[in-house]
Amino acid sequence: MHSKEEKLAAFGKVLEVLDTLREKCPWDAKQTNESLRPNTVEEVYELVDALASDDVKDIKKELGDVLLHVAFYSKIADEKGQFDIADVCTALTDKLIFRHPHIYGNVKADSAEDVLQNWEQIKLKEKDGNKTVLSGVPSALPALIKAFRIQEKVAHVGFDWETPEQVWDKVKEETAEVEAEIKSGNSEKLEEEFGDILFAVVNAARLYGVNPENALEKTNRKFINRFNHIEKRSKEEGKNLKDMSLAEMDELWNEAKQLEK
């Protein structure tokens, strides 16, 4: 692997190339925070895809794309006299040191949970930090991730179940309320109750140490692979999916499950 000096030189080269492109490339020269923002979201999702696939080559590529955006926003700010990449790095290191008193101070933390507990308390005390427990949860987060982060944050200040087992009564309660609204035919209320049951299931996953976003994505990928198998096999048999019975598709579904073992 590369030495620290080589890593710093490589990062410096990124900044050097970006300076040149910003000056000489018509496309790069006209970019703004607003124009880059949609691309940034796309790049982050592409990185997440690469990480989920555990594709090392792709992870390296997508990390580079995300790094470019960090450098690009810093370059734009530098041109406006607001801050530069050095300020970004300094702010980050200062924050990391401040939020890790168990490493750089005298606070004791023997587990990852202790660290997270301290982290949330420290963030509330920071001069420029969040004013309330939940104000740090980005409003633009996808709902599933947002629910998980909300529950994490309130748990770190003591608003949580005493034992994980207690959450199942809540899941059952919300399930019963969904069933009641289905019978009542109130579609607006039904949507609310489905939201409640999803929130409760996310909470259950958290309490048992499972990240619901990762869990659901694994299930999504598993479903896609199995359904792709059904589609592939149906074509091999000269059949159209629309003309197949559910029993025929179930048979191919079970065949796909067997192939996973």
Side-chain angles (χ1 to χ4, degrees):
M1 301 303 289
H2 297 90
S3 67
K4 182 182 291 186
E5 290 74 19
E6 289 172 324
K7 293 173 184 175
L8 290 172
F11 184 58
K13 187 65 176 179
V14 170
L15 300 179
E16 180 184 320
V17 170
L18 181 57
D19 285 346
T20 299
L21 294 178
R22 186 69 173 166
E23 178 184 352
K24 298 181 178 180
C25 174
W27 186 89
D28 289 285
K30 74 175 186 178
Q31 296 311 305
T32 64
N33 287 346
E34 192 64 26
S35 68
L36 285 173
R37 188 174 62 182
N39 293 337
T40 304
V41 174
E42 183 178 340
E43 295 297 353
V44 171
Y45 275 112
E46 288 179 359
L47 172 59
V48 170
D49 273 348
L51 290 167
S53 302
D54 199 23
D55 185 327
V56 176
K57 183 178 179 181
D58 211 24
I59 291 172
K60 180 176 69 173
K61 170 185 172 296
E62 299 303 339
L63 281 171
D65 291 342
V66 172
L67 178 60
L68 170 61
H69 280 246
V70 173
F72 215 139
Y73 289 120
S74 300
K75 174 65 177 174
I76 292 171
D78 190 7
E79 293 168 354
K80 295 178 179 179
Q82 297 170 333
F83 59 82
D84 62 19
I85 192 66
D87 295 313
V88 172
C89 293
T90 298
L92 173 59
T93 52
D94 286 349
K95 180 171 67 176
L96 289 173
I97 291 170
F98 182 72
R99 291 186 180 179
H100 289 78
H102 55 290
I103 303 297
Y104 297 100
N106 300 318
V107 174
K108 186 176 177 61
D110 296 324
S111 68
E113 182 56 38
D114 289 341
V115 173
L116 288 174
Q117 194 83 17
N118 290 336
W119 185 282
E120 294 298 335
Q121 296 294 338
I122 290 168
K123 285 196 288 186
L124 288 174
K125 296 176 183 177
E126 288 177 346
K127 181 179 179 182
D128 296 321
N130 304 316
K131 295 180 181 179
T132 67
V133 173
L134 294 177
S135 61
V137 180
S139 60
L141 277 179
L144 182 67
I145 301 174
K146 186 189 292 186
F148 184 64
R149 291 295 293 130
I150 288 170
Q151 293 163 5
E152 272 191 327
K153 283 184 172 292
V154 298
H156 290 149
V157 294
F159 192 76
D160 202 3
W161 302 98
E162 292 181 359
T163 65
E165 292 77 14
Q166 293 174 326
V167 75
W168 295 114
D169 286 337
K170 186 63 175 175
V171 172
K172 292 173 184 176
E173 174 190 328
E174 298 298 350
T175 302
E177 291 179 4
V178 167
E179 292 173 347
E181 292 306 329
I182 289 174
K183 293 176 181 177
S184 75
N186 187 333
S187 59
E188 184 175 336
K189 187 65 176 175
L190 180 61
E191 181 182 50
E192 180 182 333
E193 296 301 342
F194 263 114
D196 289 347
I197 193 173
L198 288 170
F199 195 85
V201 171
V202 168
N203 222 345
R206 177 188 62 82
L207 288 165
Y208 285 92
V210 173
N211 185 304
E213 174 69 20
N214 294 343
L216 183 57
E217 179 55 22
K218 286 181 180 178
T219 296
N220 288 339
R221 289 173 179 268
K222 181 169 61 178
F223 185 95
I224 289 170
N225 288 336
R226 290 177 182 178
F227 195 83
N228 284 345
H229 176 80
I230 293 175
E231 194 168 21
K232 177 185 175 184
R233 291 284 287 111
S234 67
K235 288 180 180 178
E236 290 174 353
E237 295 177 7
K239 299 177 181 178
N240 189 309
L241 280 178
K242 293 182 178 180
D243 298 328
M244 293 179 69
S245 67
L246 182 57
E248 289 176 309
M249 287 192 280
D250 274 342
E251 184 178 343
L252 294 178
W253 177 273
N254 291 327
E255 184 179 288
K257 288 174 64 176
Q258 290 299 317
L259 292 172
E260 293 171 358
K261 296 180 179 179

